Each structure stands twice: as C-alpha cells, then as structure tokens.
Amino acid sequence: MDPVRIDKIIPGGQAIGTLPDGKKAMLWNALPGELVTEWKITKNKSSYIEGIAEVIANPSNKRVNPKDNCYLATSPWQIMDYNYELQQKQEVLQEILRQQKVPDDCFEVQAVRTDGRDFFYRNKMEYALYYDFEGAQIFPAMRSRGTHRKLPLSQSSLEMPSIWRKATEIIDDLNARHEEARRYQSLLLRSNQSGEVSGGLLENRKPHPKFDKLRDTILGQEYSYSPNGFFQINLPVYEMVLTEMQKWIKTDKVLDLYSGVGTIGLSVARDRNLILVECDKSAFLEMKNNCRGTNATPILAKSEEALGYINPDQTVIVDPPRAGCLPNVIEELRSKKPTMIIYLSCNPITQARDISLLLDTHEIKTCIPFNFFPRTPHLENLMILERKN
C-alpha cells in the first residue's frame, strides 16, 4: 500500500490526495497535510478510491481526539479543532461556488457563523438497535460508515443530554423485559429546548405511532410540531439565521415556499402580507395551527405547483429539500423577478446550481454560512438576492 499525502478537504467532507498511479484517494479520518500510510478501502473505482484512513505518519496540529466511538458514523469531523472546522467549511463553500460558476467578485463568502456550541446540540436522533448475543442485551446503535453494520454506542455527544437519557431509559426497559432488537426498526426521539422529550420505538411492519407534540419558542413566537415530522435540528443557530433574514424583508408581500410548519415565514414576516406554501399534509396542519392569530395565508400545495403566487413586488423565501428547487420554480423566479429572493439551503451544491441560473435577473447581496451541524461536513447556507435595476 503506497502512502498518500492529503491535499485538501472536498465538498462532501472527505480529504483527498493522489496515489502514485494517479488515482485519487478520498478518505475519511484524514486532514490536509497528513501522510496516510494505511487505510481501509470502502469503494474502488478505475479513477478513484474511497476509504477510511487508519495509520497516519504525521498527524496534523489541527487534529484532536474524537469524543465518541461512533464519530465516523455520525460526525466524522470530530477529529479536527473546531476553529479549523469553521475555516474548512468556508473554504469548501467557496469551492462549491467556483464549481457551479457563481462569480464571487461582487460579494464575499462570510465567515461561518456559530453559537460556539459544538456538541450536545441536536434536538432529534434516530437510533438503530443492536443486540449483543453474548451479553443478551440491546444497545442504541448507528450504522458504520460505508457499511450496513450496526455500531453499538456507549455514549454520544451530538444530541441534547435529555435525548440520551430517554434513550437509555427506553432501552433499559427493553432489556428488563428481555426483548430482542429485531422487532424494532429504530428508536426516534426529539427534545424541545426545555428538555421535554417525545417519540419512541418504531416497530417493523407496523404504522409509525403518533407521538405527543412538542412546543418551542423561536424569536419570541411559540410553535407546535410533531417529533415525526420536519423541524430544525439546531434551534439556537436557526434563530441566528432568522434574525439575519429579517434584515432583508423589504416588501410588504412575502411568499414562503417549502414552508414546513411555518417557522421561517411566521418568524421573519408575521406582520406582513404573508403566504406560506407546504405540500406535506401533516406539516400543513401544524402550520395552520401556528398561523392562528395572524393574517398569514397557509396553502396546501407543492411549491412547484403554486407558482401563480410568485409576484414581482414581493420577497420570496425558499428553503427546499436537499435536491434544491425544481427547474420550473427557478424559471418562474426568473420570469416574475420578485424584489428579493431569500434562499436558505442544507445543500450548498444544489443551492449554488439554482443561484447560478438567477444571476441574469438578480444579484447576490450576501452569502452567510451557518454551522447547524457541528462536527459534521454539513453546512446550512443563506444567500440573499435582489432584483437588478
């Protein structure tokens, strides 16, 4: 096995170097500047390999000891200093924008914003269940990176402590009743910021139960939501995003597409002429409930089928799934030319793709990444576009 020198971290989160035969090596558990002498291959293609670094000849001075035994499965960037993580995320985002041909001569990618908390931030976890036949007991587990193998957890430092305590309590009860893990699909738990936990076990081949709803306050407004549905994972940093969004609401009319339970639109434009569009019926019903006492108009529809609500004299907010906006949504934004477009994304690659198609009608005013998911390669990115004169 020839050693490989790591050059940089690439979009997706792996470190990359070049083997003597010219093949690229994309490795987890490695940092720029390190010389990897042994690794485990998880994928071998003609032009590249993927794998996990196992022996490093010269560890980087940015390397730190990971907290958890499961870090490669859940949070592979536990190996680096936190300030270095923020720097790497900014550089990766800049590389994504270059790859997608988004010119950065008229704006700068700001430093990654964080509340400074890099562990115990997640308000939702879904554990697999691992059965130890030798000890005849169940453990919470995660899937090992690159395989379907379950990795039993002795601790986890990503989720709020209230979630880990509840998971331990539920699994202790299963063990006391001598249950077997194969009966269950997973253990789903969510906590609000007050430490109240809802959720439970999901059984194989049975409908998912409806769990008790939770409530949280975001920028002074209370919202209800189901543990089963979509809700932001890191609320303190989410509030930072919403505070920044509020500064750019310059029109009376606001359209919030892909609105979920309504937390973006209702937080930043509650006092405006607000329309919210959501296609998931369960989330829509939560959104309707959250709209009570406001003049907001909730719409049950797919965003790509609600294009008639886009108008020139409004601010349009989009927070689409990882796949980004469908082409007809982008085309309608190009055609109608709304005053402002506020684009929040959990996938900067598809976001940059979409933004590049809007640059003939709109200009980028700012680009601000937020560290929603510390110790992982994932990044939430906010881009603000204003219609060209």
Side-chain angles (χ1 to χ4, degrees), residues 146-370:
T147 74
H148 294 291
R149 183 171 62 87
K150 293 179 182 179
L151 179 68
L153 308 182
S154 57
Q155 69 171 53
S156 179
S157 302
L158 285 190
E159 66 271 57
M160 296 171 65
S162 53
I163 292 178
W164 180 256
R165 286 195 297 269
K166 186 64 174 179
T168 302
E169 176 186 316
I170 291 172
I171 289 175
D172 284 349
D173 178 66
L174 291 177
N175 287 324
R177 293 188 282 112
H178 304 291
E179 292 266 14
E180 291 189 1
R182 61 186 176 185
R183 174 181 169 185
Y184 300 100
Q185 173 187 323
S186 60
L187 171 58
L188 171 69
L189 295 172
R190 190 187 280 276
S191 175
N192 64 13
Q193 297 301 292
S194 300
E196 298 170 320
V197 179
S198 182
L201 292 160
L202 306 180
E203 293 191 56
N204 288 317
R205 296 177 292 279
K206 287 191 177 181
H208 292 178
K210 291 186 177 180
F211 300 118
D212 292 339
K213 292 180 182 179
L214 292 167
R215 303 189 73 83
D216 261 307
T217 299
I218 301 174
L219 294 187
Q221 302 294 332
E222 191 174 69
Y223 298 93
S224 69
Y225 56 94
S226 167
N228 310 59
F230 176 79
F231 199 72
Q232 288 292 348
I233 293 295
N234 189 334
L235 290 191
V237 181
Y238 185 48
E239 286 192 315
M240 294 171 65
V241 176
L242 295 174
T243 299
E244 183 63 33
M245 283 183 171
Q246 277 185 317
K247 301 174 185 177
W248 296 95
I249 305 291
K250 300 178 179 179
T251 60
D252 177 61
K253 296 178 181 178
V254 178
L255 174 64
D256 182 7
L257 299 176
Y258 313 97
S259 59
V261 300
T263 55
I264 294 182
L266 291 170
S267 294
V268 305
R270 178 177 290 262
D271 58 339
R272 308 297 175 106
N273 183 350
L274 173 64
I275 298 173
L276 305 105
V277 179
E278 173 55 40
C279 66
D280 181 82
K281 188 172 182 181
S282 176
F284 171 76
L285 293 175
E286 290 290 345
M287 180 176 69
K288 280 187 70 175
N289 182 56
N290 291 326
C291 285
R292 288 177 182 171
T294 75
N295 292 321
T297 302
I299 304 293
L300 176 62
K302 294 180 179 179
S303 292
E304 55 270 19
E305 296 174 358
L307 303 182
Y309 293 101
I310 298 176
N311 290 298
D313 59 341
Q314 70 183 178
T315 297
V316 177
I317 301 168
V318 293
D319 180 18
R322 290 189 62 81
C325 298
L326 288 183
N328 65 334
V329 175
I330 297 299
E331 188 54 42
E332 193 70 7
L333 291 171
R334 285 163 50 91
S335 174
K336 294 289 182 63
K337 302 181 182 66
T339 304
M340 305 291 297
I341 300 173
I342 297 176
Y343 194 142
L344 181 65
S345 175
C346 61
N347 185 353
I349 295 175
T350 56
Q351 181 192 41
R353 176 205 68 198
D354 293 345
I355 294 291
S356 69
L357 300 173
L358 294 167
L359 294 181
D360 56 344
T361 57
H362 291 76
E363 60 181 346
I364 299 169
K365 303 301 291 184
T366 192
C367 174
I368 311 174
F370 290 84

Side-chain angles (χ1 to χ4, degrees), residues 8-16 25-27 77 88 92 95-96 99 377:
K8 62 181 181 179
I9 292 176
I10 58 175
Q14 297 150 299
I16 191 169
M26 296 183 288
L27 303 177
W77 282 20
Q88 287 299 311
V92 166
E95 176 63 22
I96 289 171
Q99 290 179 0

